[in-house]
Structure formats: C-alpha cells, structure tokens
Amino acid sequence: MLFIVGLGLGDEKDITLRGLEAVKKCEKVYIEAYTSLLSFGLSSDGLSTLEKLYGKSITLADREIVEEKADGILSEARESDVAFLVVGDPFGATTHSDLVVRAKKMGLEVKVVHNASVMNAIGVCGLQLYRYGETISIPFFTETWRPDSFYEKIKQNRLLGLHTLCLLDIRVKEPSLESLCRGRKQYEPPRYMTINTAIEQLLEVEKTQGGSAYNEDTDCVGFARLGSEDQMIVAGTMRQLQTIDFGTPLHCLVIVGKTHPVEEEMLDFYKFRGESLERIDDGTI
C-alpha cells in the first residue's frame, strides 16, 4: 500500500496522529524534498528531526525521483507499505496527484492523510477563504524569460473583488542552462523568492501590461514561514511591504480584493505602521 502523508507547515510535530500511525507501520519512508523542506532540516548529529520522532530512516525524494523515477517507489509499494511524506497537504502540488494516478493504474491501494497547507493557513490574517479567486504562481524572472500569464488571472480576480494568493517560486536542484547544453547536469544553488522580489516583478508586469490591475498603493498581505513558531504576517500596500525584511523563506503574498468590515477588523491587527510592525508571530490571537 502507498500512504501519502501531509506533514503540515511548521515542524515534525505537526504530523497528525493518523499520519504518524501510518508512517510507523511502513517499511520504507520517502519525503518529497523540493517544494518545501525548510523546517525539517538535519540536526547536529546527522539525524533529521523527523527520523528521531518516527524512529525510521527517511529517504529524500527530489524532483527527478518523483517526476521521472516514481516507478521505483511504486514498485516497492507493491511488496510492502510505503509512506510518501509531503510538507503541507498532499495535494498542494499537482505532482502528487500524478503519483496517485500512476499508483491507481498499477492497481495499488492508496491512502491519503491530509494536513494543513498554505491554501487554508492564510485564513489567519482574517481574509475569508471563500472570497479568494484563482491562485497564481510567480516564477523568477531571467534576462530572457519574463512570463506574465498570471497577470490576467490577478486582473480577473480584482474585477470580481476577490483576493489573490500568490505562491512564490522555489528552485531546488534545478539544472543550470549551461550544464544542460553540455549534456552533463550541474545544479544551481537553491533559491526561494522573497515577497520583495515578487512585488518588484508584479509592478514590472503592470507597467508593461498597463491594465491597471494593481499598483504600488494596492493593499496586500505578506506571509513568511507560515505555520512556524516565528511566522511573520504584515498587511500594507505593495510599496510598504517592499521596505520590509521578511527574513528567511518560505514567503507568500496575498493581493487583497474587496473587503468585508469583519475582514478589515481582523486585518487591522497586522497593519504596517511605519517603523513598528504589528503582527502575530507566535500563532496566538
């Protein structure tokens, strides 16, 4: 059997009891290691905090393994119970849906254990989840590649008065263009987009498109390390958020649509107020 287990957003303690029971019964445990792994690092003695809690050896599954060599994982699941761990919720990324489809086609039984993800944890700022439009992803721009397909989606959300969740690019174990040209893969250092970079790129696209979907005075909410003990949440204009150091990744951004008075009241707790930032860092309200 294949178990796909969500780990939540904070650290190893965020796994559910059902998820922990599943992991402990499995002979082999993999963890997806390219969409988010920041809070689940190695300790000084070389054993990850996850391995200490589970009492199991854990194999890191990078993008290549999951997307190109998943058959090996699925073959093991034919013979014994295998757990595939995902930071957040198992279906926060389409890659994991593909894994389920492939498993089902092989006749494997699949059990999914859900957990918190960025898609629902953003509700902490007070913006109501059912008032969000289509979620968009913002990739890193390069000198020759500056995609802007997300712009129309933001514009449509804004016209409907809906909030927009912007997921920011994560580049882990990405082969460099030069190495691909040489036919021998060499990987770039990991990169995680900041809120500051995301806003810079958004404003560049607005200037190019000229559709008045948003501007420097548009209200947004910046989230850093959402779900962790040191999470940071700040509400302000794009211009204001660009001046803030949100610290270490992961970051995401919400472009605020039309707000209800109840939303505004809650959002006010996180408002940018000059030199002093009012925010909730410890998960308490």
PDB file of all heavy atoms in Angstrom, residues 12 24 42-58:
ATOM      1  N   GLU A  12       8.300  18.923  12.605  1.00  0.00           N
ATOM      2  CA  GLU A  12       7.956  17.496  12.634  1.00  0.00           C
ATOM      3  C   GLU A  12       6.779  17.175  13.543  1.00  0.00           C
ATOM      4  O   GLU A  12       6.124  16.145  13.382  1.00  0.00           O
ATOM      5  CB  GLU A  12       9.183  16.675  13.065  1.00  0.00           C
ATOM      6  CG  GLU A  12       9.594  16.795  14.526  1.00  0.00           C
ATOM      7  CD  GLU A  12      10.386  18.050  14.849  1.00  0.00           C
ATOM      8  OE1 GLU A  12      10.628  18.854  13.924  1.00  0.00           O
ATOM      9  OE2 GLU A  12      10.767  18.230  16.015  1.00  0.00           O
ATOM     10  N   LYS A  24       4.705   4.858  10.950  1.00  0.00           N
ATOM     11  CA  LYS A  24       5.352   3.868  11.818  1.00  0.00           C
ATOM     12  C   LYS A  24       5.110   2.429  11.346  1.00  0.00           C
ATOM     13  O   LYS A  24       5.887   1.529  11.682  1.00  0.00           O
ATOM     14  CB  LYS A  24       4.879   4.055  13.261  1.00  0.00           C
ATOM     15  CG  LYS A  24       5.472   5.305  13.904  1.00  0.00           C
ATOM     16  CD  LYS A  24       5.246   5.345  15.403  1.00  0.00           C
ATOM     17  CE  LYS A  24       6.038   6.480  16.039  1.00  0.00           C
ATOM     18  NZ  LYS A  24       5.918   6.517  17.508  1.00  0.00           N
ATOM     19  N   LEU A  42      18.328  18.879   9.048  1.00  0.00           N
ATOM     20  CA  LEU A  42      19.147  17.919   9.780  1.00  0.00           C
ATOM     21  C   LEU A  42      19.641  18.535  11.089  1.00  0.00           C
ATOM     22  O   LEU A  42      19.973  19.709  11.148  1.00  0.00           O
ATOM     23  CB  LEU A  42      20.347  17.495   8.931  1.00  0.00           C
ATOM     24  CG  LEU A  42      20.031  16.730   7.644  1.00  0.00           C
ATOM     25  CD1 LEU A  42      21.328  16.468   6.891  1.00  0.00           C
ATOM     26  CD2 LEU A  42      19.336  15.420   7.955  1.00  0.00           C
ATOM     27  N   SER A  43      19.714  17.717  12.124  1.00  0.00           N
ATOM     28  CA  SER A  43      20.246  18.177  13.400  1.00  0.00           C
ATOM     29  C   SER A  43      21.761  17.929  13.435  1.00  0.00           C
ATOM     30  O   SER A  43      22.333  17.371  12.507  1.00  0.00           O
ATOM     31  CB  SER A  43      19.557  17.449  14.555  1.00  0.00           C
ATOM     32  OG  SER A  43      19.689  16.060  14.406  1.00  0.00           O
ATOM     33  N   SER A  44      22.388  18.334  14.523  1.00  0.00           N
ATOM     34  CA  SER A  44      23.850  18.293  14.595  1.00  0.00           C
ATOM     35  C   SER A  44      24.433  16.889  14.482  1.00  0.00           C
ATOM     36  O   SER A  44      25.555  16.706  14.029  1.00  0.00           O
ATOM     37  CB  SER A  44      24.319  18.939  15.904  1.00  0.00           C
ATOM     38  OG  SER A  44      23.744  18.278  17.013  1.00  0.00           O
ATOM     39  N   ASP A  45      23.679  15.879  14.892  1.00  0.00           N
ATOM     40  CA  ASP A  45      24.210  14.519  14.837  1.00  0.00           C
ATOM     41  C   ASP A  45      23.906  13.815  13.519  1.00  0.00           C
ATOM     42  O   ASP A  45      24.167  12.632  13.355  1.00  0.00           O
ATOM     43  CB  ASP A  45      23.691  13.686  16.014  1.00  0.00           C
ATOM     44  CG  ASP A  45      22.174  13.527  16.013  1.00  0.00           C
ATOM     45  OD1 ASP A  45      21.537  13.979  15.039  1.00  0.00           O
ATOM     46  OD2 ASP A  45      21.637  12.969  16.974  1.00  0.00           O
ATOM     47  N   GLY A  46      23.331  14.539  12.565  1.00  0.00           N
ATOM     48  CA  GLY A  46      23.102  13.976  11.234  1.00  0.00           C
ATOM     49  C   GLY A  46      21.760  13.306  11.070  1.00  0.00           C
ATOM     50  O   GLY A  46      21.358  12.974   9.965  1.00  0.00           O
ATOM     51  N   LEU A  47      21.041  13.083  12.160  1.00  0.00           N
ATOM     52  CA  LEU A  47      19.705  12.503  12.071  1.00  0.00           C
ATOM     53  C   LEU A  47      18.679  13.628  11.979  1.00  0.00           C
ATOM     54  O   LEU A  47      18.720  14.566  12.769  1.00  0.00           O
ATOM     55  CB  LEU A  47      19.402  11.651  13.303  1.00  0.00           C
ATOM     56  CG  LEU A  47      19.999  10.252  13.351  1.00  0.00           C
ATOM     57  CD1 LEU A  47      19.691   9.621  14.705  1.00  0.00           C
ATOM     58  CD2 LEU A  47      19.440   9.389  12.245  1.00  0.00           C
ATOM     59  N   SER A  48      17.798  13.557  11.026  1.00  0.00           N
ATOM     60  CA  SER A  48      16.795  14.605  10.919  1.00  0.00           C
ATOM     61  C   SER A  48      15.816  14.506  12.089  1.00  0.00           C
ATOM     62  O   SER A  48      15.643  13.445  12.701  1.00  0.00           O
ATOM     63  CB  SER A  48      16.026  14.482   9.603  1.00  0.00           C
ATOM     64  OG  SER A  48      15.093  13.418   9.664  1.00  0.00           O
ATOM     65  N   THR A  49      15.181  15.628  12.398  1.00  0.00           N
ATOM     66  CA  THR A  49      14.197  15.652  13.473  1.00  0.00           C
ATOM     67  C   THR A  49      13.038  14.709  13.166  1.00  0.00           C
ATOM     68  O   THR A  49      12.434  14.143  14.077  1.00  0.00           O
ATOM     69  CB  THR A  49      13.664  17.083  13.669  1.00  0.00           C
ATOM     70  OG1 THR A  49      13.235  17.604  12.398  1.00  0.00           O
ATOM     71  CG2 THR A  49      14.742  17.990  14.226  1.00  0.00           C
ATOM     72  N   LEU A  50      12.755  14.531  11.895  1.00  0.00           N
ATOM     73  CA  LEU A  50      11.695  13.596  11.501  1.00  0.00           C
ATOM     74  C   LEU A  50      12.083  12.164  11.851  1.00  0.00           C
ATOM     75  O   LEU A  50      11.288  11.403  12.396  1.00  0.00           O
ATOM     76  CB  LEU A  50      11.432  13.700   9.999  1.00  0.00           C
ATOM     77  CG  LEU A  50      10.775  14.985   9.491  1.00  0.00           C
ATOM     78  CD1 LEU A  50      10.764  14.965   7.967  1.00  0.00           C
ATOM     79  CD2 LEU A  50       9.371  15.132  10.024  1.00  0.00           C
ATOM     80  N   GLU A  51      13.308  11.790  11.542  1.00  0.00           N
ATOM     81  CA  GLU A  51      13.762  10.423  11.808  1.00  0.00           C
ATOM     82  C   GLU A  51      13.771  10.127  13.304  1.00  0.00           C
ATOM     83  O   GLU A  51      13.456   9.018  13.728  1.00  0.00           O
ATOM     84  CB  GLU A  51      15.154  10.221  11.212  1.00  0.00           C
ATOM     85  CG  GLU A  51      15.142  10.163   9.692  1.00  0.00           C
ATOM     86  CD  GLU A  51      16.536  10.070   9.100  1.00  0.00           C
ATOM     87  OE1 GLU A  51      17.431  10.770   9.605  1.00  0.00           O
ATOM     88  OE2 GLU A  51      16.726   9.297   8.147  1.00  0.00           O
ATOM     89  N   LYS A  52      14.116  11.119  14.090  1.00  0.00           N
ATOM     90  CA  LYS A  52      14.116  10.925  15.543  1.00  0.00           C
ATOM     91  C   LYS A  52      12.701  10.663  16.053  1.00  0.00           C
ATOM     92  O   LYS A  52      12.481   9.796  16.903  1.00  0.00           O
ATOM     93  CB  LYS A  52      14.694  12.164  16.235  1.00  0.00           C
ATOM     94  CG  LYS A  52      16.207  12.290  16.110  1.00  0.00           C
ATOM     95  CD  LYS A  52      16.697  13.519  16.866  1.00  0.00           C
ATOM     96  CE  LYS A  52      18.209  13.619  16.826  1.00  0.00           C
ATOM     97  NZ  LYS A  52      18.710  14.811  17.551  1.00  0.00           N
ATOM     98  N   LEU A  53      11.742  11.421  15.542  1.00  0.00           N
ATOM     99  CA  LEU A  53      10.365  11.268  16.004  1.00  0.00           C
ATOM    100  C   LEU A  53       9.757   9.950  15.535  1.00  0.00           C
ATOM    101  O   LEU A  53       9.080   9.264  16.293  1.00  0.00           O
ATOM    102  CB  LEU A  53       9.513  12.440  15.498  1.00  0.00           C
ATOM    103  CG  LEU A  53       8.030  12.399  15.867  1.00  0.00           C
ATOM    104  CD1 LEU A  53       7.832  12.467  17.382  1.00  0.00           C
ATOM    105  CD2 LEU A  53       7.267  13.546  15.190  1.00  0.00           C
ATOM    106  N   TYR A  54      10.033   9.591  14.282  1.00  0.00           N
ATOM    107  CA  TYR A  54       9.401   8.405  13.709  1.00  0.00           C
ATOM    108  C   TYR A  54      10.137   7.119  14.036  1.00  0.00           C
ATOM    109  O   TYR A  54       9.573   6.026  13.937  1.00  0.00           O
ATOM    110  CB  TYR A  54       9.314   8.529  12.182  1.00  0.00           C
ATOM    111  CG  TYR A  54       8.591   9.765  11.690  1.00  0.00           C
ATOM    112  CD1 TYR A  54       8.835  10.247  10.421  1.00  0.00           C
ATOM    113  CD2 TYR A  54       7.669  10.442  12.493  1.00  0.00           C
ATOM    114  CE1 TYR A  54       8.183  11.378   9.952  1.00  0.00           C
ATOM    115  CE2 TYR A  54       7.019  11.566  12.037  1.00  0.00           C
ATOM    116  CZ  TYR A  54       7.278  12.038  10.768  1.00  0.00           C
ATOM    117  OH  TYR A  54       6.640  13.155  10.312  1.00  0.00           O
ATOM    118  N   GLY A  55      11.433   7.251  14.396  1.00  0.00           N
ATOM    119  CA  GLY A  55      12.232   6.045  14.596  1.00  0.00           C
ATOM    120  C   GLY A  55      12.433   5.284  13.307  1.00  0.00           C
ATOM    121  O   GLY A  55      12.577   4.060  13.297  1.00  0.00           O
ATOM    122  N   LYS A  56      12.440   6.026  12.189  1.00  0.00           N
ATOM    123  CA  LYS A  56      12.570   5.419  10.861  1.00  0.00           C
ATOM    124  C   LYS A  56      13.611   6.171  10.045  1.00  0.00           C
ATOM    125  O   LYS A  56      13.765   7.382  10.178  1.00  0.00           O
ATOM    126  CB  LYS A  56      11.238   5.500  10.100  1.00  0.00           C
ATOM    127  CG  LYS A  56      10.098   4.736  10.717  1.00  0.00           C
ATOM    128  CD  LYS A  56      10.037   3.332  10.149  1.00  0.00           C
ATOM    129  CE  LYS A  56       8.806   2.602  10.672  1.00  0.00           C
ATOM    130  NZ  LYS A  56       8.693   1.268  10.086  1.00  0.00           N
ATOM    131  N   SER A  57      14.296   5.458   9.182  1.00  0.00           N
ATOM    132  CA  SER A  57      15.178   6.097   8.216  1.00  0.00           C
ATOM    133  C   SER A  57      14.313   6.708   7.106  1.00  0.00           C
ATOM    134  O   SER A  57      13.339   6.095   6.653  1.00  0.00           O
ATOM    135  CB  SER A  57      16.140   5.069   7.628  1.00  0.00           C
ATOM    136  OG  SER A  57      16.928   5.655   6.620  1.00  0.00           O
ATOM    137  N   ILE A  58      14.643   7.919   6.694  1.00  0.00           N
ATOM    138  CA  ILE A  58      13.843   8.613   5.683  1.00  0.00           C
ATOM    139  C   ILE A  58      14.701   8.922   4.472  1.00  0.00           C
ATOM    140  O   ILE A  58      15.820   9.429   4.588  1.00  0.00           O
ATOM    141  CB  ILE A  58      13.243   9.916   6.251  1.00  0.00           C
ATOM    142  CG1 ILE A  58      12.303   9.592   7.414  1.00  0.00           C
ATOM    143  CG2 ILE A  58      12.501  10.686   5.169  1.00  0.00           C
ATOM    144  CD1 ILE A  58      11.749  10.803   8.119  1.00  0.00           C
TER     145      ILE A  58
END
